[in-house]
Amino acid sequence: QAGDGIVSDMTGNGPGEVLTISPETVCRIAMRSREFDAKVAATVDDPGSNDADEGEVRVLTDYPGDATYQELATAISDLNEDEQLDLVALAWLGRGDYTDWYEARAQAGAITDRHLPDYLTGMPLLSTYLEDALAQLGFSCADYGVEAT
């Protein structure tokens, strides 16, 4: 659970020893991010039809007021600052910007513009980056019952 303090990786050594965010929380955010990434821009402001007629397309269409983005942004905003910075560092690590956890985390800590939820929700492939970073640290979302789709 978020806020549980320092988390060790499963190997007992390495960068996972300094995570302040729980891997399970990262996995849940990755899952929400994947749902958000699956959305496509609406081509019609109001489809004026029901889901059955549209072949359930509305589920994957990003209409104004859709809760998917808000759920992701809230999940990130509800984290404390250290957990948000861990999430940024994990995203950078998973994206390949850094190969060293400590360097990524130090750079994340140096961010002066702290609009981290906006930054993270605007990052394409956030879910993939988070899952890749966790794997590098010895964690798997499958261990927490959160499977990638």
Side-chain angles (χ1 to χ4, degrees):
Q1 180 129 27
D4 284 348
I6 296 174
V7 177
S8 294
D9 69 357
M10 292 188 282
T11 63
N13 56 30
E17 294 175 353
V18 296
L19 284 177
T20 56
I21 188 171
S22 76
E24 182 175 7
T25 299
V26 175
C27 291
R28 296 207 181 285
I29 289 171
M31 180 183 66
R32 289 183 197 274
S33 177
R34 188 171 310 284
E35 291 168 357
F36 176 66
D37 286 346
K39 296 283 186 168
V40 294
T43 56
V44 177
D45 288 339
D46 181 6
S49 184
N50 65 41
D51 289 343
D53 290 343
E54 298 296 323
E56 305 294 331
V57 157
R58 185 176 178 92
V59 174
L60 294 177
T61 305
D62 190 16
Y63 288 101
D66 188 326
T68 306
Y69 168 80
Q70 192 58 46
E71 289 171 3
L72 174 60
T74 298
I76 295 170
S77 295
D78 286 349
L79 300 173
N80 68 42
E81 185 173 311
D82 283 332
E83 292 167 327
Q84 289 182 20
L85 292 171
D86 274 4
L87 211 56
V88 169
L90 286 167
W92 290 346
L93 187 68
R95 188 169 64 185
D97 296 344
Y98 296 90
T99 57
D100 179 76
W101 163 254
Y102 298 105
E103 184 181 358
R105 185 56 176 84
Q107 288 301 311
I111 295 173
T112 57
D113 180 6
R114 297 292 172 106
H115 297 283
L116 301 178
D118 292 336
Y119 173 70
L120 289 164
T121 57
M123 185 181 292
L125 302 175
L126 175 63
S127 60
T128 300
Y129 299 147
L130 294 175
E131 291 169 7
D132 288 352
L134 285 178
Q136 291 177 45
L137 299 178
F139 298 100
S140 169
C141 288
D143 294 334
Y144 303 98
V146 182
E147 297 284 344
T149 54

